[in-house]
Amino acid sequence: MVKNKNNKAIWNTRIKKDVSTLFQKVGNSINIDKKLFKEDIDGSIVHVEMLFRQKIISFKIKNKIIYGLNKIKKEIQINKFDYNKKYEDIHMNIEKRLFQIIGEEAGYMHTARSRNDQVITDFKMWVTSSTKEINKNLDNIIKTILKVSEKNIETIMPGFTHLKNAQAVSFAHYLMAYVEMFNRDKQRFSNNLESLSECPLGVAALTGTSFNIDRNFTSKKLGFKKPTNNSIDTVADRDFVLDFLYSVSVCSMHMSRIAEELIIWNSDGFNLINLSDKVVTGSSIMPQKKNPDLLEFLRGKTGSTYGNLFSMLTILKGLPISYFKDLQDDKEILFGSNETLNNCIAILNEVLKNLKPNKQKMLELANTGYITATDLADYLVQNHSMPFRKAYQTTSSIVNFAEKKKKKLNELSIEELKKIEPKLTIEVLKVFNLKNSINSKKSYGGTSFDNIKKMIMKYKKT
Ligand code: ARG
């Protein structure tokens, strides 16, 4: 590539000395914002097309600039672009290179805009496409969960509250809860698209411009709905960054809860699921170990995504509006959260795809802890016209009795049960059957096998 002869900053007429080498080193952002090269070039092409339509630049100059920009895009795509930290960021690197390729006419490109509107236009476009990308990745994980759920509708396990056995549920019902969480995440990310749909380009540094530009044209051509309303707010606004970071945080939090749950179920104490060898690692000293490192990795990463949200909130707190250099950190923070989230989604997808329930152990555990006690109380209300509180107390006495006798509820004889509640008949014994218990939960959203089947179908259709 052509050696850059004019390796001076664009403002070198006004500022006589090069910025200190230390600031060049720490203050540049090129290694981070070079991710925005495509959005930056597309934005510049549309900008000069608009300048030509509005008779601000000539046809010839417009074409020359577009030629140069396309050449630069190619150079970047084939790794032939020489990024220079001295020019701070992607915007200046591209502009400098344009001068080398087409000469002084490159100087027309920056008419009626500033890096302040340029950077958020690029950034909003980038965040829009990564938001859509995340939603595709969430779709993939939802598909995986639906597949595993379909195979486990009749897999019976204890549902836990406080990690104590509560009531029997289908394993698929737990899995389908994860679908709800990811579906809300998708909704949350989609909602953000609204605030990303206003185009900043043309507000220039902070006041707008004296040129007769057409912001509706650039806005539409770049895929936005409309131009932003207030030039000062536009260069100051990073709400869309916060929205993104918050959505990432909630989604990571969901994954972290799932990870924690799977770690517990995979522990030797519970032993309810088996993780594939693909997603566990060994120990350097204990030969027998298979540790759920990947799940721990994604649980841990939630810490850094929360941290990123708080970094950005803190940067914005107390910052006067319009543009300040403080804002430059927004990209490093958001790119980091975006990458971490996509890695975590891919990891969890891999874990769930290969996860095997230990059905025997699930059933055994579901048969402990008097898990059908609530079913018995419900039965007393439904069949013996008892108020629920009375039925609750009667059932508690039966549980206490069973505990004393070291028996499970389904091991009690009808005679024993009648001693505590004389109205009971042999018919009551069916409530201690786990399948019956699960299938009785027919209320909308409940764990009955039919409900789960219907819900899986509903999600498969969307
Ligand atoms: N690299 C800068 C950023 O990301 C671009 C905007 C620079 N504007 C300025 N007035 N220094 O924030």
Side-chain angles (χ1 to χ4, degrees):
M1 83 167 267
V2 187
K3 183 98 189 81
N4 186 5
K5 288 183 197 118
N6 173 25
N7 72 344
K8 287 272 167 220
I10 245 140
W11 42 77
N12 78 318
T13 314
R14 170 76 175 141
I15 303 176
K16 301 293 178 203
K17 289 189 178 148
D18 281 353
V19 69
S20 83
T21 39
L22 177 62
F23 191 71
Q24 269 185 41
K25 207 170 123 201
V26 298
N28 83 83
S29 59
I30 186 63
N31 280 333
I32 290 152
D33 58 31
K34 64 183 178 191
K35 263 196 189 0
L36 298 175
F37 82 91
K38 197 180 160 298
E39 287 77 8
D40 196 68
I41 290 174
D42 292 348
S44 291
I45 291 176
V46 169
H47 179 65
V48 294
E49 276 171 353
M50 182 277 293
L51 292 178
F52 162 66
R53 275 169 58 101
Q54 297 300 99
K55 304 192 176 36
I56 299 167
I57 61 170
S58 73
F59 182 66
K60 206 175 120 228
I61 291 173
K62 177 218 33 158
N63 282 351
K64 255 184 145 175
I65 295 175
I66 293 178
Y67 159 80
L69 287 171
N70 280 325
K71 193 168 153 61
I72 295 170
K73 195 193 261 184
K74 238 297 111 63
E75 288 176 358
I76 298 179
Q77 279 162 343
I78 59 172
N79 286 328
K80 284 272 153 60
F81 189 88
D82 200 4
Y83 294 105
N84 193 335
K85 286 189 178 163
K86 194 164 179 168
Y87 307 135
E88 283 191 18
D89 56 27
I90 187 66
H91 325 291
M92 298 308 250
N93 268 267
I94 289 174
E95 186 172 326
K96 273 283 177 184
R97 179 73 186 122
L98 190 65
F99 272 93
Q100 292 171 353
I101 298 172
I102 68 165
E104 286 306 307
E105 281 159 336
Y108 284 99
M109 178 172 70
H110 211 57
T111 314
R113 76 169 186 193
S114 150
R115 274 187 301 165
N116 296 355
D117 55 339
Q118 191 181 351
V119 68
I120 10 170
T121 305
D122 296 357
F123 200 23
K124 277 189 164 184
M125 289 197 279
W126 195 93
V127 176
T128 301
S129 41
S130 42
T131 297
K132 292 178 181 165
E133 188 65 36
I134 289 173
N135 273 357
K136 269 197 210 144
N137 294 337
L138 288 173
D139 272 335
N140 284 338
I141 205 164
I142 288 175
K143 268 194 203 124
T144 300
I145 302 173
L146 291 177
K147 264 194 203 151
V148 187
S149 301
E150 235 174 353
K151 286 191 205 141
N152 284 290
I153 296 172
E154 305 214 359
T155 304
I156 295 171
M157 67 179 286
F160 305 100
T161 60
H162 311 267
L163 264 193
K164 298 279 285 178
N165 285 12
Q167 290 180 269
V169 292
S170 151
F171 178 45
H173 201 51
Y174 258 110
L175 295 169
M176 291 300 287
Y178 305 162
V179 169
E180 293 297 322
M181 289 146 89
F182 291 130
N183 210 43
R184 285 198 298 276
D185 290 330
K186 271 178 61 187
Q187 194 58 52
R188 196 170 294 107
F189 278 110
S190 296
N191 291 344
N192 296 344
L193 295 175
E194 194 55 36
S195 59
L196 286 162
S197 72
E198 295 192 352
C199 184
L201 195 59
V203 303
L206 80 162
T207 58
T209 173
S210 58
F211 291 96
N212 176 30
I213 59 171
D214 182 353
R215 292 190 63 206
N216 285 313
F217 173 85
T218 42
S219 167
K220 208 160 162 216
K221 271 248 161 167
L222 290 171
F224 292 91
K225 271 198 198 148
K226 64 180 280 291
T228 51
N229 288 330
N230 179 292
S231 55
I232 302 177
D233 171 62
T234 302
V235 294
D237 170 34
R238 294 296 182 278
D239 294 1
F240 67 94
V241 178
L242 294 175
D243 291 342
F244 184 88
L245 295 172
Y246 172 70
S247 306
V248 170
S249 299
V250 176
C251 185
S252 312
M253 174 272 290
H254 284 156
M255 286 196 283
S256 177
R257 294 181 79 173
I258 295 169
E260 171 66 4
E261 190 148 80
L262 298 180
I263 290 167
I264 292 171
W265 292 351
N266 181 245
S267 69
D268 295 315
F270 277 75
N271 192 21
L272 295 183
I273 55 167
N274 287 315
L275 298 175
S276 141
D277 276 3
K278 275 196 210 164
V279 300
V280 295
T281 59
S283 148
S284 65
I285 174 172
M286 297 168 282
Q288 84 284 13
K289 291 285 269 182
K290 284 187 177 183
N291 296 325
D293 280 38
L294 271 76
L295 288 167
E296 290 163 10
F297 169 89
L298 60 91
R299 185 180 56 189
K301 282 293 170 205
T302 311
S304 66
T305 50
Y306 286 8
N308 285 346
L309 171 62
F310 277 88
S311 295
M312 197 63 222
L313 282 167
T314 312
I315 287 169
L316 292 170
K317 179 191 172 298
L319 192 69
I321 58 172
S322 98
Y323 179 82
F324 293 84
K325 187 74 166 177
D326 316 43
L327 294 171
Q328 179 168 281
D329 270 349
D330 58 359
K331 284 167 289 301
E332 185 170 11
I333 291 171
L334 186 142
F335 291 157
S337 277
N338 179 66
E339 191 179 333
T340 303
L341 183 74
N342 284 324
N343 285 340
C344 290
I345 296 175
I347 289 174
L348 188 60
N349 198 5
E350 192 66 23
V351 170
L352 292 171
K353 247 186 210 159
N354 298 294
L355 177 140
K356 296 264 175 305
N358 189 346
K359 295 186 185 179
Q360 191 53 38
K361 191 68 212 286
M362 281 183 170
L363 193 62
E364 269 169 36
L365 192 60
N367 267 312
T368 65
Y370 315 102
I371 206 164
T372 47
T374 315
D375 299 278
L376 175 58
D378 287 355
Y379 174 88
L380 290 170
V381 174
Q382 285 156 355
N383 295 273
H384 297 286
S385 317
M386 269 188 204
F388 182 76
R389 271 292 159 257
K390 171 92 174 60
Y392 175 100
Q393 275 154 5
T394 305
T395 306
S396 299
S397 307
I398 292 175
V399 169
N400 285 343
F401 176 81
E403 192 176 51
K404 214 166 105 198
K405 296 272 167 200
K406 295 197 170 34
K407 282 186 174 183
K408 293 183 175 160
L409 288 179
N410 63 356
E411 289 165 351
L412 295 175
S413 67
I414 184 64
E415 289 73 30
E416 285 171 316
L417 289 164
K418 271 166 122 46
K419 260 189 230 155
I420 299 167
E421 179 46 66
K423 283 189 208 151
L424 286 171
T425 65
I426 190 112
E427 208 209 322
V428 67
L429 300 179
K430 70 172 192 230
V431 304
F432 303 126
N433 175 296
L434 295 179
K435 235 184 196 173
N436 291 344
S437 161
I438 291 178
N439 274 327
S440 70
K441 309 302 175 335
K442 288 193 195 330
S443 56
Y444 186 81
T447 187
S448 78
F449 298 154
D450 267 0
N451 276 1
I452 298 171
K453 272 181 214 152
K454 278 186 203 145
M455 208 46 93
I456 294 174
M457 285 308 288
K458 180 179 131 90
Y459 274 108
K460 274 175 103 179
K461 276 191 211 140
T462 52

